[in-house]
Amino acid sequence: MALTLITIETAGSGLYEFTDRAAAFVGKTGVGEGLLTVFVRHTSCSLVVQENADPDVRRDLDGFFRRLVPPADDPAMDWIAHTAEGADDMPAHIKAALTQTSLGIPVAEGRMLLGTWQGLYLFEHRARAHRREIVLHVASG
């Protein structure tokens, strides 16, 4: 078993890849076969496994979520009560609830078993910059 904490500095909403950092951690653990658990310690961002080849995928995914859950000052969102932290806060919580705060990635032969085009991403849902913490935990199988 091994555990570490990584920090990702965001510059606003969007997807921030951290596949290389997770792969380096898994490699250093010496675990040949097991499970990598990835957990984000926040409620207004999330984690996704997504294509890492074409940046248009990340842009389109971010755009889809912006359309699906607009800011609280949008007339369609006039039902929102939690607005004290800005027009993007409650929508960020909704987006995080629709995605995931934890991922499980199988490990074999000392590396993550991601598909050819898959990457690990922090999905920032807030408009302003944040410092996000992600816990990486590897348990041997």
Side-chain angles (χ1 to χ4, degrees):
M1 177 183 86
L3 180 86
T4 195
L5 183 75
I6 64 171
T7 301
I8 296 178
E9 303 281 342
T10 70
S13 67
L15 288 102
Y16 296 83
E17 188 171 9
F18 63 96
T19 310
D20 291 346
R21 293 171 73 180
F25 168 69
V26 169
K28 288 179 186 174
T29 67
V31 172
E33 188 172 299
L35 181 69
L36 169 66
T37 301
V38 184
F39 176 75
V40 65
R41 301 178 65 194
H42 306 278
T43 60
S44 57
C45 62
S46 57
L47 300 169
V48 295
V49 174
Q50 199 45 253
E51 177 180 326
N52 64 359
D54 185 350
D56 286 342
V57 172
R58 294 186 297 278
R59 273 192 292 278
D60 290 348
L61 188 60
D62 190 38
F64 170 77
F65 271 87
R66 287 175 196 244
R67 290 179 63 178
L68 183 66
V69 186
D73 56 6
D74 184 289
M77 302 296 275
D78 64 357
W79 55 271
I80 289 179
H82 177 70
T83 59
E85 296 179 54
D88 69 330
D89 188 47
M90 189 60 216
H93 292 299
I94 294 168
K95 292 172 188 176
L98 292 172
T99 51
Q100 305 165 85
T101 57
S102 181
L103 300 170
I105 312 295
V107 172
E109 298 179 6
R111 55 186 195 60
M112 297 182 295
L113 292 180
L114 292 172
T116 302
W117 307 114
Q118 288 182 318
L120 303 177
Y121 291 88
L122 170 80
F123 197 173
E124 177 62 70
H125 302 302
R126 297 295 306 266
R128 64 180 175 84
H130 281 80
R131 186 174 188 266
R132 302 303 194 171
E133 294 180 340
I134 298 173
V135 178
L136 303 176
H137 174 259
V138 176
S140 60

